[in-house]
Amino acid sequence: MTGTVTDAPRDVDRRRTLGRRGRAWGLVGCGVALAAPAALLVVRLTGLDAGTPLAMPMVLFPYSTVLGVLVLGVMVAVPALRSRWAVAVVGALVVAHVALLAPRFVPERQQVPADSVELRVASINAGGGGADPRALVELVRTERIDVLAVEQMPSGGVDALDKAGLGTLMPYQELHPEYDSSIYSRHPLSHVDTTHVDTAWPQTTAEVAVGGHRVQFVAVHTYYPLGDAKRWTRDMAALTSVARRSGPDAVFLGDFNASLDHTPMRRLLAAGLTDTHAELGRGWARTWPVGHALVPPLIQLDHVLHGPGLMGVSVGERTVPGTDHRAVVAVLALLPEKGPTPGRNAAGAAAAGTPSPSRSRLLGIVVPCPPVPAAWPLPSSSCSRHAGGPTSGSSELRQTKDRRDLHDLTRSLPWANETLLVPDAVRHETDAMAWANAGSFKVTFRKGPQVGGHGPMIEYAMHRKEEDGSEPVDVVSCGATKIVTCTDLGHGLRQVVTHDTDSSDQHSPCTRMREAS
């Protein structure tokens, strides 16, 4: 009996010791679990992920918040872990995380104006051409997409999309598979180009005229931080510079290889852009990876960002077989103008000598190789795709790798032409352009190797005559003094080829063409 009385305090002490050890180990375990949330919070607040390998774990910031909430719940629920100072520290950590994440889960309470025009846009990383072309075309059809940005689509994928019928749904295209991104549209494209900033590869840009607005689109695909975090950061910084120069009606969409927690992405948004997912309270959309049986989509790398002239109406993700990215589909409302705004005033641009998109548009010239017309002034044994568009006020002729039929690009005009050729010999970037309006199509370029304002200019034009038989305004007529050929093709269509040996003549066709650019 004496032994029983003596052993009792020892059992109590043993239990107390085990309790203290268990509490200590429990707090240590909680501390280890909270190391990642604490470290990521420091990185998030200091911007240490920009240009460093810390960009990779930064995509897990929302998950670290969830981990912090779970640890806090365990500490409150388990009496042995209910230390005031520990709970206070963990609570502060969780509150800081939630404060940073909460805004993207709260939709902005804005009413879409009743008279606003909606624009349906989508973006997809095609996974190097692996995306199922029929599924992608079906997505465009069912979602009634107006503008589509496609990243990582090689030439073979472009051809597959065309065969699947995308060219019928979206006849206006600025294709750059040799770089990376391309833009497809139901509406005419103008000011087609690629960016001239410090990115790993050029980003494709174009403007679409809708509802009195000129919306600038940038199809984005940046370098990935796992490969080179500094290169990725420079890409994002370059896009930020483009965003600062863009007007209110701008849309940047594509694969940014960045989440909303990355410092370079936040800097891009601070340049005047809004993430459509965050705007609508969809703060935890996941677009990558897709197609893995055991790994669901975890993070959002694909975004639709827009300027203050637009408002998000809806946004969602769609799965297209064959690619590891989900497509992002968004409906944007074009807000009514409150006054003259740079980038919107097409009338002012026309008055300054630049045609309004409603009257004319610069086209990418996609050329087939049919028999060369006898009247063509330059020999041509082969043809390649060329794209024309203004850059910083000048016209430009850029080579690409694709071949397509010119008829596909001019099907919206009231006439069709399947014999117009641009010879491969025409390679001078500042000496060729194409222009079209409702009744004419013109190409102007310099003959021979001379550049820099020397050598004769050649204009190739096709146009309809007016109903009264007169020549259209601003279109060279068959009465011009330097006609090479003037052929009546029937159906009111004429083919005109002119030479101009002095481009300084203010009344010459080529001078007017340059003013039209």
Side-chain angles (χ1 to χ4, degrees), residues 350-509:
T354 302
S356 166
S358 62
R359 293 187 60 250
S360 64
R361 59 188 174 91
L362 290 159
L363 291 177
I365 308 170
V366 180
V367 295
C369 292
V372 180
W376 184 250
L378 289 178
S380 174
S381 58
S382 63
C383 314
S384 63
R385 182 183 187 274
H386 295 73
T391 304
S392 303
S394 64
S395 57
E396 183 180 26
L397 183 71
R398 300 186 313 276
Q399 275 191 280
T400 66
K401 298 177 180 178
D402 294 0
R403 295 187 181 186
R404 293 177 57 83
D405 196 315
L406 179 63
H407 177 66
D408 290 342
L409 285 180
T410 58
R411 66 176 64 188
S412 65
L413 300 176
W415 45 270
N417 167 39
E418 300 182 24
T419 59
L420 177 60
L421 297 176
V422 177
D424 281 347
V426 182
R427 300 183 185 274
H428 309 309
E429 292 188 353
T430 60
D431 289 300
M433 66 175 293
W435 180 75
N437 63 12
S440 65
F441 180 89
K442 295 193 287 187
V443 179
T444 301
F445 56 90
R446 194 175 298 280
K447 180 180 180 180
Q450 301 93 338
V451 295
H454 304 288
M457 294 296 296
I458 295 177
E459 179 178 75
Y460 185 92
M462 300 185 70
H463 64 86
R464 285 187 179 279
K465 293 195 297 184
E466 302 290 353
E467 292 183 359
D468 59 3
S470 62
E471 301 293 342
V473 179
D474 290 337
V475 175
V476 62
S477 69
C478 288
T481 57
K482 298 173 182 177
I483 290 294
V484 173
T485 61
C486 183
T487 307
D488 190 345
L489 302 180
H491 306 288
L493 186 66
R494 287 193 177 188
Q495 170 184 299
V496 180
V497 179
T498 68
H499 275 185
D500 176 28
T501 57
D502 183 5
S503 61
S504 66
D505 182 0
Q506 295 298 314
H507 300 289
S508 65

Side-chain angles (χ1 to χ4, degrees), residues 31 55 124 147 152 173 204-205 230 263 275 371 389 412 489 493 502 516:
I124 185 170
V147 179
Q152 280 196 286
Q173 305 168 4
T204 302
T205 66
K230 292 182 178 179
T263 299
D275 180 84
S412 65
L489 302 180
L493 186 66
D502 183 5

Side-chain angles (χ1 to χ4, degrees), residues 88-133:
V89 170
V90 176
L93 177 66
V94 170
V95 168
H97 271 257
V98 172
L100 293 173
L101 290 176
R104 71 185 68 168
F105 292 93
V106 180
E108 297 183 9
R109 298 181 179 277
Q110 292 184 343
Q111 191 69 27
V112 178
D115 57 344
S116 62
V117 178
E118 291 187 352
L119 194 61
R120 307 177 71 90
V121 303
S123 169
I124 185 170
N125 183 317
D132 186 333

Side-chain angles (χ1 to χ4, degrees), residues 79-443:
L81 302 177
R82 205 175 295 162
S83 167
R84 290 184 178 180
W85 66 266
V87 170
V89 170
V90 176
L93 177 66
V94 170
V95 168
H97 271 257
V98 172
L100 293 173
L101 290 176
R104 71 185 68 168
F105 292 93
V106 180
E108 297 183 9
R109 298 181 179 277
Q110 292 184 343
Q111 191 69 27
V112 178
D115 57 344
S116 62
V117 178
E118 291 187 352
L119 194 61
R120 307 177 71 90
V121 303
S123 169
I124 185 170
N125 183 317
D132 186 333
R134 291 185 176 85
L136 182 53
V137 171
E138 184 61 24
L139 172 67
V140 170
R141 180 181 292 108
T142 56
E143 297 288 346
R144 306 191 310 279
I145 302 301
D146 296 304
V147 179
L148 171 69
V150 182
E151 304 84 48
Q152 280 196 286
M153 178 64 79
S155 298
V158 170
D159 294 338
L161 285 176
D162 188 56
K163 293 178 181 178
L166 187 58
T168 302
L169 295 174
M170 297 183 141
Y172 304 98
Q173 305 168 4
E174 181 64 9
L175 308 177
H176 287 286
E178 80 284 6
Y179 294 145
D180 189 279
S181 59
S182 297
I183 295 177
Y184 294 81
S185 175
R186 293 183 187 270
H187 306 283
L189 298 175
S190 65
H191 296 80
V192 293
D193 200 359
T194 56
T195 55
H196 302 277
V197 292
D198 181 23
T199 52
W201 42 76
Q203 316 285 304
T204 302
T205 66
E207 285 189 6
V208 174
V210 180
H213 297 249
R214 293 169 59 187
V215 184
Q216 177 191 3
F217 284 88
V218 181
V220 174
H221 186 207
T222 67
Y223 206 79
Y224 56 106
L226 179 61
D228 189 339
K230 292 182 178 179
R231 172 70 270 175
W232 165 73
T233 301
R234 291 199 302 272
D235 280 9
M236 295 296 289
L239 290 175
T240 301
S241 68
V242 175
R244 290 196 182 103
R245 297 193 301 268
S246 301
D249 298 334
V251 179
F252 288 59
L253 70 171
D255 177 7
F256 293 76
N257 277 308
S259 72
L260 296 179
D261 296 300
H262 282 115
T263 299
M265 173 60 88
R266 300 200 309 275
R267 291 171 180 169
L268 176 59
L269 294 173
L273 299 177
T274 298
D275 180 84
T276 307
H277 281 92
E279 178 186 18
L280 298 174
R282 293 283 317 284
W284 206 340
R286 291 159 294 170
T287 65
W288 183 89
V290 181
H292 302 279
L294 301 178
V295 182
L298 296 174
I299 57 179
Q300 182 183 7
L301 301 179
D302 307 85
H303 305 263
V304 173
L305 313 181
H306 64 78
L310 300 99
M311 178 188 299
V313 177
S314 67
V315 67
E317 304 77 50
R318 306 290 186 270
T319 299
V320 175
T323 175
D324 59 349
H325 286 253
R326 300 192 76 190
V328 176
V329 177
V331 179
L332 305 176
L334 293 160
L335 302 179
E337 297 184 34
K338 298 181 180 180
T341 306
R344 287 190 182 187
N345 194 351
T354 302
S356 166
S358 62
R359 293 187 60 250
S360 64
R361 59 188 174 91
L362 290 159
L363 291 177
I365 308 170
V366 180
V367 295
C369 292
V372 180
W376 184 250
L378 289 178
S380 174
S381 58
S382 63
C383 314
S384 63
R385 182 183 187 274
H386 295 73
T391 304
S392 303
S394 64
S395 57
E396 183 180 26
L397 183 71
R398 300 186 313 276
Q399 275 191 280
T400 66
K401 298 177 180 178
D402 294 0
R403 295 187 181 186
R404 293 177 57 83
D405 196 315
L406 179 63
H407 177 66
D408 290 342
L409 285 180
T410 58
R411 66 176 64 188
S412 65
L413 300 176
W415 45 270
N417 167 39
E418 300 182 24
T419 59
L420 177 60
L421 297 176
V422 177
D424 281 347
V426 182
R427 300 183 185 274
H428 309 309
E429 292 188 353
T430 60
D431 289 300
M433 66 175 293
W435 180 75
N437 63 12
S440 65
F441 180 89
K442 295 193 287 187
V443 179

